[in-house]
Amino acid sequence: MTMTSATNEGSGAQAATDHLLEVRGLKKHFPIRRGVLQRHVGDVKAVDGLDFTVGRGETLSLVGESGCGKTTAGRSTLRLIEPTAGEAIYRPDAATEVDLFKLGKAEMRSFRRDLQIIFQDPYASLNPRITVGNAVGEALQVHGLASGSELQDQVAELLKKVGLRPDVANRFPHEFSGGQRQRVGIARALALRPKLIVCDEAVSALDVSIQAQVINLLKDLQGEFDLSYIFIAHDLSVVRYISDRVAVMYLGRIVEIGTVDQVFDNPQHPYTRALLSAIPRADRSERRERIPLTGDVPSPISPPSGCFFHTRCPVAEAGRCDTAYPETRQVGEGGHLAACHLTEPYS
Ligand code: SF4
């Protein structure tokens, strides 16, 4: 068991001990090996030192362009891929506090049921030869929580919870539409009554009308089961609708984090502003001047010197932005933080 202290990010509206999860210094580096001897010649620094918290019943979204590390961050947090460094303090109840990254395999298994994931492509995560009823009930069986008619009843109940008829339990994944398959994926994630679900681009592959239904379902289930979500997405309109707080990532680091209103209505980091300026808005009065993001995201193998964003930043200052990485500082009330040399410190 490991104790951590509250930092700026965690010292906002919630006290640190109210957080279900507190991630500090999360890194995931993938080694690059070359030659016959497979010598280690470098690292892909997919995630390079993230600090964030997730409150009980809260949705924290991770956003950013493709390749920013948000999916790796979500999966490393759940240890679906092993993190390189950091800690993830998990507090399922008032009496329990563990660092997930320090748990052995057997210990981790006992917490695994609390921590689930919903994937972007439910078809890929469902075995085509297993009925959806068996797919949803599998985890209950593996954990010895139900069998026989009790298992069938629980599967039927889960299917109803996600808006599917219980009699579809005998069907196979290919007999369902994309939206229905994602509902099956949600039922599977819910089976063990988790506390935290990582939704990894969970609605990105769905048609817009189906997206809305699945998002509303996720919100309803959150209220009913007091679920916390780490919501990984690139569609900022969806993020605005579902999130309580938002963390904007660039090249493996968080460049801005705050409540959804702080980040969307008062963005402080130039990268956040550029991302938000690209959201299509029907209402003319709400339209922002488009800030074009030129050039590609740099390689996470050798990030630029100084601020990682300086090669694309429209307001970068030579001699400053290209020499030192900006410290993360408070730029608004509570936990509104940004990492940019030009932001005004909050007082
Ligand atoms: Fe742009 Fe400089 Fe701020 Fe980085 S530190 S976002 S380059 S102004």
Side-chain angles (χ1 to χ4, degrees), residues 47 73 76 102 139 178 183 200 220 226 236 269 298 312:
V47 171
S76 307
K102 288 202 172 73
R183 287 175 190 268
D200 186 3
D220 290 347
D226 197 25
L236 294 176
H269 196 281
R312 303 170 77 201

Side-chain angles (χ1 to χ4, degrees), residues 255 268-272 305-318 320-322 324-327 339-343:
V255 296
Q268 294 296 304
H269 196 281
Y271 180 59
T272 313
S305 61
C307 172
F308 290 177
F309 188 52
H310 87 259
T311 54
R312 303 170 77 201
C313 180
V315 293
E317 286 184 359
R320 188 179 185 198
C321 295
D322 52 0
Y325 193 87
E327 70 176 73
C340 170
H341 290 305
L342 304 193
T343 50

